[in-house]
Amino acid sequence: MTRHLYGRGLLPEVPSWLKAELSGRGGFLLSSSPVLALHGQRVAQHLRAVLRLEVLELPDGEAAKRLSVLEQTAEALILRGAERGSVLFALGGGTVSDLVGFLAAVLFRGISWVALPTTLLAQLDAAVGGKTGVDLGVLKNALGAFHPPIAVLGETEWLTTLPSSELRSGLVEAVKTAAVLDAALFEELKRRWVRLLQRDLEELSWLSAKVAQAKAALVATDFEDRGPRALLNFGHTLGHALEAVTGYSVSHGDAVAHGMRFVASLALPRGADGKFWAELLGLLERLGVPKLPPVSEQKLLAAIGRDKKTQKAKTGWVIPFRPGEAQWGVEVPDSELRESLRRFLSDGTGS
Ligand SMILES: NC(=O)c1ccc[n+]([C@@H]2O[C@H](COP(=O)([O-])OP(=O)(O)OC[C@H]3O[C@@H](n4cnc5c(N)ncnc54)[C@H](O)[C@@H]3O)[C@@H](O)[C@H]2O)c1
Ligand SMILES: [Zn+2]
């Protein structure tokens, strides 16, 4: 079981159970150069109080999630003395936790790792739930494993240096999780939204912990993603297609925000609660997601079809009807999909 810890000043107070778990072992801190420059030194200093530590640099962003990086990093680790008892620390966003988690899953057939997520998205989503992996040229996240870290330590202070576009991405995924899983959380999110947008650290700390907890509770019911874990795909069916057809020029978070907006046109005719949907769209609107560039309806439909094929267990749409109440695997007839998409695209592509 992964332990999740969120808050301010976590590292100076590494809890005794983790100290006991780590003591006497060799540790490797893996991170990219921008994150190391911002936070690496302090993190390394605190970890060195607990165990022997070496630091290894990874490429920044999605470029870290390559098999070539996995191979080079594994070789570097072995040359520096890594063995089965070593622990890897993933300091960075979701790209770092995906790569390092996968490396930990396959190195010596599985070693321990600790997630130190530095983006809001990684704190409340990517580092939670045990999915790890790398991309292939033809498909994102094509190779991977379920290999949860022993702990996730989400230090709120790290979020102070986050660019606002990255903050927005995390907030988009927070809206997604609250909308499909937890009515009380959705209610709180509305209440705290302005302070969250202002990057209030107490609020962000609360948010990471709560959203991660909601995700972890769902994952516990469907670890291998064969059933209800598909709920977390809300907004991602169109979102993934938007990323693909724009050549990834639209960020994942922004694409998912547009993807959730689109689902309104499928949800409302099926009897979803209008007030809830107005609130959900209101939250997204206040995020200031940039408008979509022009996109072809045909290409989008083709990309949606491809996305569904690669996610066999999750064909169908995720449609929230009321706060915390959503259905997954909803089949939408092609004619309705085409019509809704046409209206969505001609309706002004903005938020
Ligand atoms: N495994 C899962 O369940 C899961 C879930 C969601 C997303 N993901 C994956 O997560 C990845 C996206 O993660 P992400 O959004 O964190 O992106 P990311 O890891 O690319 O980080 C985004 C950028 O933020 C910078 N950064 C990180 N922390 C910072 C900080 N504290 N201050 C300033 N800059 C900082 C990084 O240098 C990077 O350039 C994708 O590859 C996606 O597939 C995985
Ligand atoms: Zn997502």
Side-chain angles (χ1 to χ4, degrees):
M1 272 292 279
T2 306
R3 307 243 208 159
H4 295 90
L5 293 177
Y6 292 90
R8 293 174 82 171
L10 285 183
L11 280 188
E13 294 173 29
V14 175
S16 50
W17 63 265
L18 188 56
K19 276 190 190 150
E21 173 97 33
L22 298 178
S23 82
R25 300 169 76 168
F28 294 88
L29 179 65
L30 290 95
S31 186
S32 68
S33 119
V35 178
L36 281 173
L38 289 166
H39 304 290
Q41 226 169 15
R42 294 199 57 194
V43 172
Q45 181 197 335
H46 289 306
L47 291 178
R48 283 197 172 109
V50 183
L51 80 182
R52 275 175 291 119
L53 188 82
E54 296 216 36
V55 180
L56 266 78
E57 199 175 302
L58 300 170
D60 191 50
E62 204 66 29
K65 287 176 57 174
R66 307 290 312 178
L67 263 186
S68 55
V69 174
L70 184 107
E71 183 177 2
Q72 282 160 19
T73 312
E75 286 182 347
L77 285 169
I78 291 166
L79 288 175
R80 295 201 199 186
E83 34 85 26
R84 290 214 66 194
S86 304
V87 186
L88 307 185
F89 294 87
L91 178 71
T95 55
V96 175
S97 48
D98 274 8
L99 181 273
V100 173
F102 189 39
L103 178 54
V106 292
L107 186 63
F108 310 128
R109 299 192 183 80
I111 65 172
S112 307
W113 71 291
V114 173
L116 305 173
T118 61
T119 64
L120 183 62
L121 183 136
Q123 292 196 357
L124 55 75
D125 192 349
V128 180
K131 278 193 192 175
T132 69
V134 296
D135 302 330
L136 290 181
V138 290
L139 184 69
K140 273 191 70 171
N141 300 320
L143 305 177
F146 292 98
H147 187 58
I150 53 178
V152 178
L153 306 184
E155 167 63 62
T156 311
E157 293 290 338
W158 295 332
L159 305 178
T160 54
T161 55
L162 209 56
S164 55
S165 57
E166 301 297 339
L167 187 75
R168 187 167 74 231
S169 288
L171 292 173
V172 168
E173 301 283 6
V175 171
K176 172 204 77 176
T177 304
V180 295
L181 293 187
D182 191 330
L185 183 55
F186 186 75
E187 206 44 48
E188 280 286 305
L189 203 60
K190 286 188 310 190
R191 213 169 56 74
R192 298 171 187 244
W193 202 233
V194 172
R195 291 194 298 278
L196 285 163
L197 293 172
Q198 291 165 342
R199 206 189 278 252
D200 180 302
L201 288 188
E202 297 306 319
E203 298 290 338
L204 287 172
S205 178
W206 167 85
L207 184 76
S208 289
K210 284 291 185 185
V211 177
Q213 191 181 33
K215 176 174 176 181
L218 173 70
V219 168
T221 69
D222 178 24
F223 181 57
E224 289 190 354
D225 200 7
R226 301 186 193 282
R229 190 166 175 171
L231 286 168
L232 297 171
N233 225 28
F234 172 39
H236 284 61
T237 312
L238 182 63
H240 285 149
L242 284 169
E243 288 183 271
V245 301
T246 59
Y248 295 90
S249 66
V250 175
S251 78
H252 177 74
D254 292 350
V256 170
H258 288 294
M260 288 194 277
R261 284 200 311 117
F262 171 70
V263 172
S265 66
L266 308 177
L268 294 169
R270 286 175 171 74
D273 180 347
K275 177 169 167 280
F276 158 61
W277 265 98
E279 291 166 352
L280 203 168
L281 295 175
L283 291 176
L284 295 176
E285 204 167 310
R286 278 188 277 167
L287 280 174
V289 176
K291 291 188 177 217
L292 283 176
V295 284
S296 131
E297 182 194 316
Q298 280 316 319
K299 286 189 181 156
L300 264 184
L301 282 167
I304 289 170
R306 274 196 302 278
D307 190 59
K308 279 178 154 192
K309 251 190 267 159
T310 59
Q311 316 223 358
K312 275 208 182 76
K314 310 187 190 178
T315 56
W317 293 75
V318 180
I319 302 187
F321 287 85
R322 269 160 289 284
E325 282 179 42
Q327 275 179 24
W328 52 277
V330 179
E331 291 297 340
V332 173
D334 282 351
S335 53
E336 180 190 349
L337 185 58
R338 242 193 314 273
E339 186 49 39
S340 299
L341 209 51
R342 185 165 307 142
R343 257 184 284 124
F344 181 72
L345 294 175
S346 63
D347 212 33
T349 41
S351 61

